[in-house]
Amino acid sequence: MTYKRQVDRLPIIPADATVHNSVCHYCIVGCGYKTYTWPMNKQGGTAPDENIFGVDLSQQQPQDSNAWYAPSMYNVVRQNGQDVHMVIKPDQDCVVNSGLASVRGARMAENHPSDVTGTQGHRLTDPLVWRYGTYNPTSWDDALDLVARVTARIVVENGEDDLVVSMFDHGGSGGGYENTWGTGKLYFESMKIKNVRIHNRPAYNSEVHATRDMGVSELNNAYEDAQLADTLVAWGCNPLECQTNYFLNHWIPNLQGMSSSRKAELIPDEDHPRARIIFIDPRRTVSINAAEQAAGADNVLHLPINSGTDLALANAIFTYVADQGWVDTDFIESHTKAEAEPRPALFPARGETDAEPGHLTSFQDALDANRMSIEEAAQLCGVPAEDIVTAAEWIAMPKENGARRRTMIGYEKGVIWNNDNYRTNGAIVNISLATGNIGRLGGGCVRMGGHQEGYVRPSAAHVGRPATYVDQLLISGNGGVHHVWDCNQYRTTLNATEFKRIYNRRTNMVKEAMDAAAGATREEQVEAIVNAIRQGGLFTVDVDIIHNEMGQRAHVVLPGAQTGEMNLTSMNGERRMRLAERYMDPPGRSRPDCLIAAGIAQHMERVLREMGEDDYADQFTGYDWETEEDAFMDGYHRNAHNGELVTYDRLRALGTNGFQEPAQRLEGETIVGTPRLYADGNFSSEDGRARFMAGPWRGLATPGKEEERARYPFLINNGRSNLNWQNWYLDQENDFVTDRWPYPFIEMHPDDMEARGLGAGDLVEVHNDNGATQAMVYPTETARPGETFMLFGAPRGVQGNIVGSGTNELIIPVYKQTWADIRKISDRPSVADGISFKSKEFRF
Amino acid sequence: MKCNRLVDAGRRQFLRGGLVATAGAAAGTMMPERAEAQSALARVSYPANRLANIADLTENEPLDVAYPDERSPGVLLKLGQAVEGGVGPDGDIVGYSVLCPHKGWFLIYNSDDRSFNCPGHYSRFDAEAGGQQIWGHATNNLPQFVLRVDGEGEIYAEGVDELIFGRLSNTL
Ligand code: SF4
Ligand code: FES
């Protein structure tokens, strides 16, 4: 049965409802929303003067009307202790999304907790402590005292390297400038924690070290550039599903020819031919289908390359473009490094050190090193040579009137979580630099992004590079205390089968010690915990909004607030910074993460003084924040580039459009930002010149992958779905979502299904040497035989279970390259009855 | 007048009863919960409108109708095999709103795979699975009409199971 809400009317927003600026926190795009709240005993009416829209709601509203909201956009929540009606709907005046809501953002309202409507009943409301063999709610003081006592003992007696931290580093939900600062100050200023990792990878590192080393920040253009480009390149990304409204509101209009007047206005002396788009992806995605609808199939090129061969393709395109003389010589001479750097001793196999797996140098040197023929690339990548030539032409062949082609490249996890991350990232940036397409209207070479960004922390230089492989450190029995902030390694790490096995054992040792010391004093309890740690146990503190699998292994669980339940600032994929205002109370006694970090620091200070560690205790001062705004002022305002120009009041005045970071100056009280980076040709390097990357193809570079490919019949490519993208933590409690995906799907070609005796919806085990997981078969005509695609990070089937421990030099996981076998577990389970297994592609 | 009073009464009950009374029951399980039975008090009163006769339908060809009023376009479909929500002697007759519950564009029926497709932003709904969104941006599955067929083969619509785009009450 298909899930129906059976809601056939909604309360009307009254004309005098309170309006809050909101930004969707679910993905990098950061769509603007407005949140309306009003008292329970009031409601608007259908007459124009009785509702916020000023329209007659007794009439059917037209297509695209702003005066409609879906049931998922409505909820009843607590605000300053009172129940209120709340509607969160997309803001038509926000330049990011122009009133579009995605299937995720449109569920923000129903994905908040409500005692009245019963939504998100799994949200944490109180600190929990493992006590009497189970989790018991307690006060903040009790919970933080235990956290501080155990943590202080370990860092004093064993050193700070025995405190291991998993923490977010991004914006939006479970992040934001306030919270990255609060946690960053605790772990990088009060302490110097080295064994730290990020939510989706086992180390504290950039996913795009290469572009940064080349002097090119990864978010260098404006969303409008996607409307101005002659050619768009989607490299290892699936923008319709993962950056939905960016794609729908900026890419699609260009592909439809609807941005031509804007092109003529901003770029008057140039031809503006019909826009084209290139997709580089082993899989045919719905983005490709949508682009064909919008641009016509003739203007869409899909290169379905073999998994992990992006580097060969990029180097071939770079070579061809250079050989044709389609490079921007003026740009290269003026803005990139002129002299070749001496090649490292072990080049081309290796870079100077493991921290630099490529070689930063001049255009000519990179060209010489990377040279790859079209024919060789065609062979390696498994695509026709003429298609690679077409791609090179679309990217760089001058336009008819001789003007240089404006090409924007967007890349994401298909490149990042894939073979030879560093060199591949560099090879893509090489193409944009060589063609002068960075800092230019209609250009840019950008990562598409996952979460929004919101990073301001004290220096993390002490972490080093390559950073510690934290999961391996925990697996090998090191570390004594683990602080976890909004991370769930049980769902989103590699080598997850082994990780969970060891993590269960180590945290259980501490649970057993706590159980055995039931009834003991706090001092005796701490002694018992420390003893268990000395025997290989792990004491875990989990900060999160729900009691997830990590939390269920933890000994103390601390409840956080999320966007809308606190004021939160972040920037989106074009560096657009907004203040997402608080519109409701956090559930129960939950708190913003920055204030939780402050609480830990304050308790650490007290406990350390009790221990006679006064000097150390002094390092834990400076956390007397009352609100998240205090953390913002201490962090972003004082530390971000030109952060002193930015305040909550000024951001509030800029509404959902905000400004693009970095702030440049004030005009009156209005912050003036930076639409594009490098418009002046001054790159992020010591001499202001960008570097090219010499990084030739070197096969599958991740340990274990070549063997795995040889051994198993199926590629288990993996990624996200439009329906819930990175929202699983909330969507596992959202009926609309679990009705559609009760299990993660695995897309398989019908021939592969037949060979394994599988029907649509059958439950299968996907297994290899690393472990096993499960998924529901989704027949997919467009899948290549032998290549499947599995939904990542799902609660009922963790893809990471079957990913080996091998990473590249910089400890970036290679989730995309997983090979395994598939066997049937059962016929379609009852929860999958009634699920549609039709093609996901739009069909006329 | 009478109609307006009913609407108001329903709205008050709605506020008391909560949006979806059973949603909270999902806590602790990942099984999808279904809400139909328990929110009945919150429903608006629907007219029972005759939309067509079975004899008017050709298999797999949508027949344009409107329900609950002429400003709410929909279709009737005879699918040839029994499906969710299907009525008639073969349990194969269904009716749906054809306004996309994302931004209200008109859906186009694809008879090859019996789906409704939206030219707005590429959403798709399955005519054979209760209007389930196969892929898309809407946060509702497609509103389906509650149908009844009498002894003469007359097809009546008597309700709708989701909010129709462009109206904050299914009956205006
Ligand atoms: S595209 Fe991203 S930011 Fe925009 S509404 Fe959807 S999830 Fe939210
Ligand atoms: S209006 Fe149908 S997908 Fe947007």
Side-chain angles (χ1 to χ4, degrees), chain A residues 138-210:
Chain A
T138 187
S139 67
W140 278 99
D141 276 344
D142 176 43
L144 290 177
D145 179 73
L146 182 58
V147 170
R149 282 181 191 282
V150 176
T151 305
R153 277 286 296 276
I154 293 299
V155 293
V156 167
E157 292 174 17
N158 296 12
E160 290 179 348
D161 288 356
D162 261 15
L163 171 56
V164 179
V165 177
S166 298
M167 62 178 177
F168 57 83
D169 73 333
H170 52 74
S173 213
Y177 286 114
E178 293 75 4
N179 295 328
T180 59
W181 177 253
T183 46
K185 182 167 172 150
L186 177 61
Y187 298 112
F188 295 161
E189 190 176 287
S190 297
M191 294 179 273
K192 286 271 180 283
I193 299 303
K194 178 162 108 334
N195 294 326
V196 51
R197 62 161 272 165
I198 301 174
H199 67 289
N200 65 2
R201 51 195 190 269
Y204 200 79
N205 50 10
S206 168
E207 292 180 314
V208 289
H209 277 301

Coordinates of all heavy atoms in Angstrom, one line a residue, chain A residues 138-210:
Chain A
T138 N 19.3 11.9 32.7 CA 19.8 12.6 33.9 C 20.0 14.1 33.6 O 19.6 14.5 32.6 CB 21.1 11.9 34.4 OG1 21.5 12.4 35.7 CG2 22.2 12.1 33.4
S139 N 20.6 14.8 34.6 CA 20.8 16.2 34.4 C 22.1 16.4 33.6 O 22.9 15.6 33.5 CB 20.9 16.9 35.8 OG 22.1 16.4 36.4
W140 N 22.2 17.7 33.1 CA 23.4 18.0 32.4 C 24.6 18.0 33.3 O 25.7 17.5 33.0 CB 23.3 19.4 31.8 CG 22.6 19.4 30.5 CD1 21.3 19.7 30.3 CD2 23.1 19.1 29.2 NE1 21.0 19.6 28.9 CE2 22.1 19.2 28.2 CE3 24.4 18.7 28.7 CZ2 22.3 19.0 26.9 CZ3 24.6 18.4 27.4 CH2 23.5 18.5 26.5
D141 N 24.4 18.5 34.5 CA 25.6 18.5 35.5 C 26.1 17.1 35.8 O 27.3 16.8 35.8 CB 25.2 19.2 36.8 CG 25.3 20.7 36.6 OD1 26.0 21.1 35.7 OD2 24.8 21.4 37.5
D142 N 25.1 16.2 36.0 CA 25.6 14.8 36.3 C 26.3 14.2 35.1 O 27.4 13.6 35.3 CB 24.3 14.0 36.6 CG 24.6 12.5 36.9 OD1 25.7 12.2 37.5 OD2 23.9 11.6 36.4
A143 N 25.7 14.4 33.9 CA 26.3 13.7 32.7 C 27.7 14.4 32.4 O 28.7 13.7 32.1 CB 25.4 13.9 31.5
L144 N 27.8 15.7 32.5 CA 29.0 16.4 32.1 C 30.1 16.1 33.2 O 31.3 16.1 32.9 CB 28.8 17.9 31.9 CG 28.0 18.2 30.7 CD1 27.7 19.8 30.6 CD2 28.6 17.8 29.4
D145 N 29.7 16.0 34.4 CA 30.7 15.6 35.4 C 31.4 14.3 35.1 O 32.6 14.2 35.2 CB 30.0 15.6 36.8 CG 31.0 15.2 37.9 OD1 31.8 16.1 38.3 OD2 31.0 14.1 38.4
L146 N 30.6 13.3 34.7 CA 31.2 12.0 34.4 C 32.1 12.1 33.2 O 33.2 11.6 33.2 CB 30.0 11.0 34.2 CG 30.5 9.6 33.9 CD1 31.4 9.0 35.0 CD2 29.3 8.6 33.6
V147 N 31.6 12.9 32.2 CA 32.4 13.1 31.0 C 33.7 13.7 31.3 O 34.8 13.2 30.9 CB 31.7 14.0 30.0 CG1 32.6 14.4 28.8 CG2 30.4 13.3 29.4
A148 N 33.7 14.8 32.1 CA 34.9 15.5 32.4 C 35.8 14.7 33.3 O 37.1 14.7 33.1 CB 34.5 16.8 33.1
R149 N 35.3 13.9 34.2 CA 36.2 13.2 35.2 C 36.9 12.1 34.4 O 38.1 11.9 34.6 CB 35.4 12.6 36.3 CG 35.0 13.6 37.4 CD 34.2 13.0 38.5 NE 33.8 14.1 39.3 CZ 34.5 14.7 40.2 NH1 35.8 14.4 40.4 NH2 34.0 15.8 40.9
V150 N 36.2 11.4 33.6 CA 36.9 10.3 32.8 C 37.9 10.9 31.8 O 39.0 10.5 31.7 CB 35.9 9.4 32.1 CG1 36.6 8.3 31.3 CG2 35.0 8.7 33.2
T151 N 37.4 11.9 31.1 CA 38.3 12.5 30.1 C 39.5 13.1 30.7 O 40.6 13.0 30.2 CB 37.5 13.6 29.3 OG1 36.3 13.0 28.8 CG2 38.3 14.2 28.1
A152 N 39.3 13.9 31.8 CA 40.5 14.5 32.4 C 41.5 13.5 32.9 O 42.7 13.7 32.7 CB 40.0 15.4 33.6
R153 N 41.0 12.4 33.5 CA 41.9 11.4 34.0 C 42.8 10.9 32.8 O 44.0 10.7 32.9 CB 41.2 10.2 34.6 CG 40.7 10.4 36.0 CD 41.9 10.2 37.0 NE 42.5 8.9 37.0 CZ 42.1 7.9 37.7 NH1 41.0 8.0 38.5 NH2 42.7 6.7 37.7
I154 N 42.1 10.6 31.7 CA 42.9 10.0 30.6 C 43.8 11.0 30.0 O 45.0 10.6 29.7 CB 41.8 9.4 29.6 CG1 41.1 8.3 30.2 CG2 42.5 9.0 28.3 CD1 42.0 7.1 30.6
V155 N 43.4 12.2 29.7 CA 44.3 13.2 29.1 C 45.5 13.5 30.0 O 46.6 13.8 29.5 CB 43.6 14.4 28.5 CG1 42.7 14.1 27.4 CG2 42.9 15.2 29.6
V156 N 45.2 13.5 31.3 CA 46.3 13.8 32.2 C 47.3 12.6 32.3 O 48.5 12.8 32.3 CB 45.8 14.3 33.6 CG1 46.9 14.3 34.7 CG2 45.1 15.6 33.5
E157 N 46.7 11.5 32.5 CA 47.6 10.3 32.8 C 48.2 9.7 31.5 O 49.3 9.2 31.5 CB 46.8 9.3 33.6 CG 46.5 9.8 35.0 CD 45.6 8.8 35.8 OE1 45.4 7.7 35.4 OE2 45.0 9.3 36.8
N158 N 47.4 9.7 30.4 CA 47.9 9.0 29.2 C 48.3 10.0 28.2 O 49.0 9.7 27.2 CB 46.8 8.1 28.6 CG 46.4 7.0 29.5 OD1 46.7 7.0 30.6 ND2 45.6 6.1 28.9
G159 N 47.8 11.2 28.3 CA 48.1 12.2 27.2 C 46.9 12.4 26.3 O 46.0 11.6 26.3
E160 N 47.0 13.5 25.6 CA 45.8 13.9 24.8 C 45.6 13.0 23.6 O 44.5 13.0 23.0 CB 46.0 15.4 24.3 CG 45.8 16.4 25.5 CD 46.0 17.8 25.0 OE1 46.4 18.1 23.9 OE2 45.6 18.7 25.9
D161 N 46.7 12.2 23.2 CA 46.5 11.3 22.1 C 45.5 10.2 22.4 O 45.1 9.5 21.5 CB 47.8 10.8 21.6 CG 48.6 11.9 20.9 OD1 48.1 13.0 20.7 OD2 49.8 11.6 20.5
D162 N 45.2 10.0 23.7 CA 44.3 8.9 24.0 C 42.8 9.4 24.0 O 41.9 8.6 24.3 CB 44.6 8.3 25.4 CG 45.4 7.0 25.2 OD1 45.9 6.8 24.1 OD2 45.5 6.2 26.2
L163 N 42.7 10.7 23.8 CA 41.3 11.2 23.5 C 41.1 11.2 22.0 O 41.8 12.0 21.3 CB 41.1 12.6 24.2 CG 39.8 13.3 23.8 CD1 38.6 12.5 24.2 CD2 39.7 14.7 24.5
V164 N 40.2 10.4 21.6 CA 39.9 10.3 20.1 C 38.6 11.1 19.9 O 37.7 11.0 20.7 CB 39.8 8.9 19.7 CG1 39.5 8.8 18.2 CG2 41.1 8.1 20.0
V165 N 38.5 11.9 18.8 CA 37.4 12.7 18.5 C 36.9 12.4 17.1 O 37.6 12.4 16.2 CB 37.7 14.2 18.7 CG1 36.4 15.0 18.4 CG2 38.1 14.5 20.2
S166 N 35.6 12.1 17.0 CA 34.9 12.1 15.7 C 34.0 13.3 15.7 O 33.1 13.5 16.5 CB 34.0 10.9 15.5 OG 34.8 9.7 15.6
M167 N 34.2 14.2 14.7 CA 33.3 15.4 14.8 C 33.1 16.0 13.4 O 33.9 15.9 12.5 CB 33.8 16.5 15.7 CG 35.2 17.1 15.3 SD 35.6 18.4 16.5 CE 37.3 18.8 16.0
F168 N 31.9 16.5 13.2 CA 31.5 17.2 12.0 C 32.5 18.4 11.7 O 33.1 18.9 12.6 CB 30.1 17.8 12.1 CG 29.9 18.7 13.3 CD1 30.3 20.0 13.2 CD2 29.4 18.2 14.5 CE1 30.2 20.9 14.3 CE2 29.3 19.0 15.6 CZ 29.7 20.4 15.5
D169 N 32.6 18.8 10.5 CA 33.4 20.0 10.2 C 32.7 20.9 9.2 O 33.3 21.7 8.5 CB 34.7 19.5 9.5 CG 34.6 19.0 8.1 OD1 33.5 18.5 7.8 OD2 35.5 19.2 7.3
H170 N 31.3 20.7 9.1 CA 30.6 21.4 8.0 C 29.5 22.3 8.5 O 29.4 22.6 9.7 CB 30.0 20.3 7.1 CG 29.1 19.3 7.9 ND1 27.9 19.6 8.4 CD2 29.4 18.0 8.2 CE1 27.4 18.6 9.0 NE2 28.3 17.6 9.0
G171 N 28.7 22.8 7.6 CA 27.7 23.7 8.0 C 26.3 23.0 7.9 O 26.3 21.8 7.8
G172 N 25.3 23.8 8.0 CA 23.9 23.2 8.0 C 23.7 22.3 9.2 O 24.3 22.5 10.3
S173 N 22.8 21.3 9.1 CA 22.5 20.5 10.2 C 23.7 19.8 10.8 O 24.6 19.4 10.1 CB 21.5 19.5 9.8 OG 20.6 19.3 10.8
G174 N 23.7 19.7 12.1 CA 24.9 19.1 12.8 C 26.1 19.8 12.4 O 27.2 19.2 12.2
G175 N 26.1 21.2 12.4 CA 27.3 21.9 12.1 C 27.1 23.4 12.2 O 26.4 23.8 13.1
G176 N 27.7 24.2 11.3 CA 27.5 25.6 11.4 C 28.6 26.3 12.1 O 29.4 25.6 12.8
Y177 N 28.8 27.6 11.8 CA 30.0 28.3 12.4 C 30.0 28.3 13.9 O 31.0 28.2 14.5 CB 30.0 29.7 11.8 CG 30.4 29.8 10.4 CD1 29.5 30.3 9.4 CD2 31.7 29.5 10.0 CE1 29.9 30.4 8.1 CE2 32.1 29.6 8.7 CZ 31.2 30.0 7.7 OH 31.6 30.1 6.4
E178 N 28.8 28.4 14.5 CA 28.8 28.4 15.9 C 29.3 27.1 16.5 O 30.1 27.1 17.5 CB 27.3 28.6 16.4 CG 26.7 29.9 16.1 CD 26.3 30.1 14.6 OE1 26.4 29.1 13.9 OE2 25.9 31.2 14.3
N179 N 28.9 26.0 15.9 CA 29.2 24.7 16.5 C 30.6 24.2 16.1 O 31.3 23.5 16.8 CB 28.1 23.7 16.1 CG 26.8 24.0 16.7 OD1 26.7 24.6 17.8 ND2 25.7 23.7 15.9
T180 N 31.0 24.5 14.8 CA 32.4 24.1 14.5 C 33.4 24.9 15.4 O 34.4 24.4 15.8 CB 32.8 24.4 13.0 OG1 32.6 25.7 12.7 CG2 32.0 23.5 12.1
W181 N 33.0 26.1 15.7 CA 33.9 26.9 16.6 C 33.9 26.3 18.0 O 35.0 26.1 18.6 CB 33.5 28.4 16.6 CG 34.3 29.2 17.6 CD1 34.0 29.6 18.8 CD2 35.7 29.5 17.4 NE1 35.0 30.2 19.4 CE2 36.2 30.1 18.6 CE3 36.7 29.2 16.4 CZ2 37.5 30.6 18.8 CZ3 38.0 29.7 16.6 CH2 38.4 30.3 17.8
G182 N 32.7 26.1 18.6 CA 32.7 25.5 19.9 C 33.5 24.3 20.1 O 34.3 24.2 21.0
T183 N 33.3 23.3 19.2 CA 34.0 22.1 19.2 C 35.5 22.3 18.9 O 36.4 21.7 19.6 CB 33.4 21.0 18.3 OG1 33.2 21.7 17.0 CG2 32.1 20.5 18.8
G184 N 35.8 23.2 17.9 CA 37.2 23.4 17.5 C 38.0 24.1 18.6 O 39.1 23.7 18.9
K185 N 37.3 25.0 19.4 CA 38.0 25.6 20.5 C 38.4 24.6 21.6 O 39.5 24.6 22.1 CB 37.1 26.7 21.0 CG 37.8 27.5 22.1 CD 37.0 28.8 22.4 CE 37.5 29.5 23.7 NZ 37.3 31.0 23.6
L186 N 37.4 23.7 21.8 CA 37.7 22.7 22.8 C 38.8 21.8 22.5 O 39.7 21.5 23.3 CB 36.4 21.9 23.1 CG 36.4 20.7 24.1 CD1 36.8 21.2 25.5 CD2 35.1 20.0 24.1
Y187 N 38.8 21.3 21.2 CA 39.8 20.2 20.9 C 41.1 20.7 20.2 O 42.1 20.0 20.2 CB 39.1 19.2 20.0 CG 38.0 18.5 20.6 CD1 36.6 18.7 20.2 CD2 38.2 17.6 21.7 CE1 35.6 18.1 20.8 CE2 37.1 17.0 22.4 CZ 35.8 17.2 21.9 OH 34.8 16.6 22.6
F188 N 41.0 21.9 19.7 CA 42.2 22.4 19.0 C 42.9 23.6 19.8 O 44.0 24.0 19.4 CB 41.9 22.8 17.6 CG 41.5 21.7 16.7 CD1 40.8 21.9 15.5 CD2 41.8 20.4 17.0 CE1 40.5 20.9 14.7 CE2 41.4 19.3 16.2 CZ 40.7 19.6 15.0
E189 N 42.2 24.2 20.7 CA 42.8 25.3 21.5 C 43.0 24.9 22.9 O 44.1 24.9 23.4 CB 41.9 26.5 21.4 CG 42.5 27.8 21.9 CD 41.6 29.0 21.7 OE1 41.5 29.5 20.6 OE2 41.0 29.5 22.7
S190 N 42.0 24.5 23.6 CA 42.1 24.0 25.0 C 43.0 22.8 25.1 O 43.8 22.6 26.0 CB 40.8 23.7 25.6 OG 40.0 24.9 25.7
M191 N 42.8 21.9 24.1 CA 43.6 20.8 23.9 C 44.2 20.8 22.5 O 43.9 21.7 21.7 CB 42.8 19.5 24.1 CG 42.3 19.3 25.5 SD 41.3 17.8 25.8 CE 39.7 18.4 25.3
K192 N 45.1 19.9 22.2 CA 45.6 19.8 20.8 C 45.4 18.3 20.4 O 46.3 17.5 20.4 CB 47.1 20.1 20.8 CG 47.4 21.6 20.9 CD 47.4 22.3 19.6 CE 47.7 23.8 19.7 NZ 46.5 24.6 20.1
I193 N 44.2 18.0 20.1 CA 43.8 16.6 19.8 C 44.2 16.3 18.4 O 43.9 17.0 17.4 CB 42.3 16.4 20.0 CG1 41.9 16.7 21.4 CG2 41.9 15.0 19.5 CD1 42.6 15.9 22.4
K194 N 45.0 15.3 18.3 CA 45.5 14.9 17.0 C 44.8 13.7 16.4 O 44.7 13.6 15.1 CB 47.0 14.5 17.2 CG 47.8 14.0 16.1 CD 49.2 14.0 16.4 CE 49.9 12.8 16.6 NZ 49.8 11.6 17.0
N195 N 44.2 12.9 17.2 CA 43.5 11.7 16.7 C 42.0 12.0 16.5 O 41.2 11.7 17.4 CB 43.7 10.5 17.6 CG 45.2 10.1 17.6 OD1 45.8 10.2 16.6 ND2 45.7 9.7 18.8
V196 N 41.7 12.7 15.4 CA 40.4 13.2 15.2 C 40.0 12.9 13.8 O 40.8 12.7 12.9 CB 40.5 14.8 15.4 CG1 41.6 15.4 14.7 CG2 39.1 15.5 15.1
R197 N 38.7 12.7 13.6 CA 38.2 12.4 12.3 C 36.9 13.1 12.0 O 36.3 13.7 12.9 CB 38.0 10.9 12.1 CG 37.0 10.3 13.0 CD 36.5 8.9 12.4 NE 35.4 9.1 11.5 CZ 34.9 8.2 10.7 NH1 35.4 7.0 10.6 NH2 33.8 8.5 10.0
I198 N 36.4 13.1 10.8 CA 35.3 13.8 10.3 C 34.1 12.9 10.1 O 34.3 11.7 10.1 CB 35.6 14.7 9.1 CG1 36.8 15.6 9.4 CG2 34.4 15.5 8.6 CD1 37.3 16.4 8.2
H199 N 32.9 13.4 10.0 CA 31.7 12.5 10.0 C 31.7 11.4 9.0 O 31.2 10.3 9.2 CB 30.4 13.4 9.9 CG 30.3 14.0 8.5 ND1 31.1 15.0 8.1 CD2 29.5 13.7 7.5 CE1 30.8 15.4 6.9 NE2 29.9 14.6 6.5
N200 N 32.3 11.7 7.8 CA 32.1 10.7 6.7 C 33.4 10.1 6.2 O 33.5 9.5 5.2 CB 31.4 11.3 5.5 CG 32.2 12.4 4.9 OD1 33.4 12.7 5.3 ND2 31.7 13.1 3.9
R201 N 34.5 10.3 7.0 CA 35.8 9.7 6.6 C 36.7 9.5 7.8 O 36.5 10.2 8.8 CB 36.4 10.6 5.5 CG 36.5 12.1 5.9 CD 36.9 12.8 4.6 NE 37.2 14.2 4.9 CZ 36.4 15.2 4.9 NH1 35.1 15.0 4.7 NH2 36.8 16.5 5.0
P202 N 37.6 8.6 7.7 CA 38.3 8.1 8.9 C 39.5 9.0 9.4 O 40.3 8.5 10.1 CB 38.7 6.7 8.5 CG 39.0 6.8 7.1 CD 38.0 7.8 6.5
A203 N 39.6 10.2 8.9 CA 40.7 11.1 9.3 C 40.2 12.5 9.2 O 39.1 12.8 8.8 CB 41.9 10.9 8.3
Y204 N 41.1 13.4 9.7 CA 40.8 14.8 9.7 C 41.5 15.5 8.6 O 42.7 15.9 8.7 CB 41.2 15.5 11.0 CG 40.4 16.8 11.3 CD1 39.1 16.8 11.8 CD2 41.1 18.0 11.1 CE1 38.5 18.0 12.0 CE2 40.4 19.2 11.3 CZ 39.1 19.2 11.8 OH 38.4 20.4 12.1
N205 N 40.9 15.5 7.4 CA 41.6 16.0 6.2 C 40.6 16.6 5.3 O 39.4 16.6 5.4 CB 42.2 14.7 5.5 CG 41.2 13.6 5.4 OD1 40.0 13.8 5.6 ND2 41.7 12.4 5.0
S206 N 41.2 17.2 4.2 CA 40.3 17.8 3.2 C 40.0 16.6 2.2 O 40.8 15.7 2.1 CB 41.0 18.9 2.4 OG 40.3 19.2 1.2
E207 N 38.9 16.7 1.6 CA 38.6 15.7 0.5 C 39.1 16.2 -0.8 O 39.1 15.4 -1.8 CB 37.0 15.5 0.4 CG 36.4 14.8 1.6 CD 34.9 14.6 1.5 OE1 34.2 15.6 1.1 OE2 34.5 13.5 1.8
V208 N 39.6 17.4 -0.8 CA 40.1 18.0 -2.1 C 41.4 18.8 -1.8 O 41.5 19.9 -2.2 CB 39.0 19.0 -2.7 CG1 37.8 18.2 -3.2 CG2 38.5 20.0 -1.7
H209 N 42.3 18.1 -1.2 CA 43.6 18.7 -0.9 C 44.3 19.2 -2.2 O 44.9 20.2 -2.2 CB 44.6 17.6 -0.4 CG 44.5 17.4 1.1 ND1 44.6 18.4 2.0 CD2 44.2 16.3 1.9 CE1 44.5 17.9 3.3 NE2 44.2 16.6 3.2
A210 N 44.1 18.5 -3.3 CA 44.8 18.8 -4.5 C 44.4 20.2 -5.0 O 45.3 21.0 -5.3 CB 44.5 17.8 -5.6

